[in-house]
């Protein structure tokens, strides 16, 4: 596991966590259960990596979010059929 992004400790472990995400259109927020996360054993911070954050944000741009309930697992979210092949609004790569 990598160093903690908050305190730089090397005592981290991979976990899953519940996160809340606002949909790109701003109509509602959803709960995403079993989301991959990093937990630091020193500072006790639990967070998502930039990679996971980008995966969630991209997926929410590419699917019909009206079909999502208030609660979804990370796996269910990522399995939703995409309307577009990629996020054409992401100019970071």
């Amino acid at each position: 596991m990598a160093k903690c992004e908050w305190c730089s400790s090397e005592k981290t472990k991979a976990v899953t966590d519940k996160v809340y995400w606002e949909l790109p259109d701003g109509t509602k927020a959803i709960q995403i259960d079993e989301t991959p996360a990093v937990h630091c054993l020193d500072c006790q911070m639990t967070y998502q990596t930039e990679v996971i954050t980008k995966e969630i944000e991209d997926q929410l741009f590419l699917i019909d979010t009206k079909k999502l309930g208030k609660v979804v697992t990370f796996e269910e979210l990522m399995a939703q059929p995409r309307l577009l092949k990629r996020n054409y609004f992401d100019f970071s790569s």
Side-chain angles (χ1 to χ4, degrees):
M1 202 81 236
K3 284 185 180 181
C4 174
E5 292 179 18
W6 294 90
C7 74
S8 299
S9 171
E10 293 188 13
K11 295 179 184 175
T12 61
K13 66 178 182 174
V15 296
T16 59
D17 199 16
K18 177 188 321 180
V19 297
Y20 300 91
W21 224 272
E22 184 177 350
L23 297 183
D25 63 6
T27 56
K28 67 179 179 180
I30 61 170
Q31 177 179 311
I32 308 170
D33 290 340
E34 302 172 28
T35 304
V38 175
H39 178 73
C40 178
L41 299 172
D42 282 337
C43 73
Q44 300 300 309
M45 182 62 76
T46 300
Y47 59 92
Q48 284 65 49
T49 63
E50 287 184 36
V51 171
I52 294 297
T53 299
K54 182 166 177 18
E55 281 184 46
I56 292 170
E57 290 178 351
D58 283 349
Q59 185 70 346
L60 289 173
F61 270 111
L62 300 173
I63 65 172
D64 183 357
T65 57
K66 290 176 180 64
K67 294 182 179 179
L68 293 177
K70 292 181 181 179
V71 179
V72 64
T73 67
F74 178 79
E75 189 174 306
E76 290 167 342
L77 174 65
M78 300 315 280
Q80 293 291 310
R82 291 182 169 191
L83 302 173
L84 298 170
K85 291 182 181 179
R86 68 180 193 90
N87 183 353
Y88 294 99
F89 302 101
D90 178 10
F91 302 107
S92 64
S93 46

